[in-house]
Amino acid sequence: LQVDGTIQAPADPSVIKGTEQWFKFLYMDHLTLSGKGVFDGQGATVYKKAAPAAAWSGKNSNSKVFMNFGFNFVNNSIVRGVTSKDSKNFHVMVFGCKNITFDGFTITAPGDSPNTDGIHLGKSTDVKILNTNIGTGDDCVSIGDGSKQITVQGVNCGPGHGLSVGSLGKFTTEENVEGITIKNCTLTATDNGVRIKTWPDAPGTITVSDIHFEDITMTNVKNPVIIDQEYCPWNQCSKK
């Protein structure tokens, strides 16, 4: 699929109410998405209405709606060159995928846009995020449960909340995270640098292992390295 023009989502979220992702690729093998095109989520109206706590509340529920892209059970595939702009929620969800690469990809949203994670991974193996520019109002990359053999290399992050593993441990259905390499990345004016975040007193009993952060350059980053085992935004949990 080659896209060289600009494709715009409806600005009014009610038009696509109940839709998790605006562009969704399901059960595919050997997909190539490329070109100079821009997928414009037109998220400005949503950003203005969302209070921070309300925006966050959807992050760990089943209401991840209005994302620009969903790659679900997509294998042996590549996304190259295109731009994801102003998604109403997460820009990209990668779920249940094997051997998928993002190379020369661009993600952009205002620094104050709530819950606009760049690329979120879950239950996926052998994912590569390479030579990619990500500027958002949330995590540039967030690595969720069941992620294995993940490489994040040559990524420029900022603005945003950094390169994160987690949050993890909130649900009993979560799977182990292992084999994560984040290297040769640059973070500029982000809230965090590299981060691992897990919930306190959570029902999840997974392990997080074989994590490598290498050759990371940070400029004007508030919290360069964080390993947080009491991740509890907006006090929506018990810190036992």
Side-chain angles (χ1 to χ4, degrees):
L1 174 61
Q2 179 172 331
V3 178
D4 289 320
T6 296
I7 304 177
Q8 289 184 320
D12 180 0
S14 68
V15 174
I16 51 174
K17 187 174 183 180
T19 301
E20 289 183 344
Q21 291 102 19
W22 168 47
F23 261 85
K24 184 180 288 189
F25 300 90
L26 294 168
Y27 300 100
M28 300 184 71
D29 200 8
H30 297 292
L31 165 72
T32 298
L33 170 60
S34 64
K36 301 177 182 177
V38 176
F39 293 80
D40 184 356
Q42 297 209 90
T45 54
V46 173
Y47 306 156
K48 292 176 183 176
K49 294 177 181 177
W56 173 87
S57 66
K59 189 166 189 173
N60 289 284
S61 71
N62 292 319
S63 60
K64 294 186 174 73
V65 293
F66 316 135
M67 301 179 196
N68 274 4
F69 288 104
F71 297 92
N72 296 354
F73 307 100
V74 175
N75 302 330
N76 307 308
S77 297
I78 187 164
V79 179
R80 180 190 291 120
V82 295
T83 295
S84 177
K85 179 177 185 288
D86 293 346
S87 180
K88 292 179 174 67
N89 198 279
F90 290 14
H91 283 261
V92 179
M93 168 65 77
V94 178
F95 183 81
C97 296
K98 293 182 180 178
N99 187 24
I100 183 169
T101 298
F102 296 84
D103 191 4
F105 189 42
T106 299
I107 295 174
T108 177
D112 60 352
S113 57
N115 216 23
T116 52
D117 293 48
I119 299 177
H120 179 76
L121 313 175
K123 293 181 170 61
S124 295
T125 301
D126 192 14
V127 180
K128 299 178 183 70
I129 303 170
L130 311 173
N131 311 312
T132 288
N133 296 314
I134 305 176
T136 73
D138 211 301
D139 292 332
C140 290
V141 176
S142 53
I143 298 172
D145 80 285
S147 298
K148 299 179 180 180
Q149 301 173 34
I150 309 299
T151 300
V152 179
Q153 182 173 349
V155 169
N156 295 315
C157 170
H161 293 178
L163 303 171
S164 296
V165 177
S167 58
L168 299 170
K170 188 173 175 64
F171 303 105
T172 58
T173 55
E174 294 185 23
E175 299 175 6
N176 294 342
V177 173
E178 61 186 53
I180 311 299
T181 299
I182 298 177
K183 65 180 180 180
N184 298 121
C185 294
T186 300
L187 297 100
T188 305
T190 55
D191 282 6
N192 307 295
V194 293
R195 174 165 64 155
I196 302 173
K197 46 183 173 173
T198 61
W199 287 79
D201 191 38
T205 55
I206 65 172
T207 62
V208 183
S209 61
D210 192 20
I211 311 293
H212 300 266
F213 300 115
E214 305 172 8
D215 299 323
I216 309 294
T217 300
M218 304 191 200
T219 303
N220 194 25
V221 171
K222 293 179 183 177
N223 306 296
V225 180
I226 297 181
I227 299 177
D228 181 5
Q229 291 184 287
E230 289 189 351
Y231 179 72
C232 185
W234 312 106
N235 295 315
Q236 297 194 15
C237 64
S238 172
K239 282 195 175 183
K240 293 182 182 177

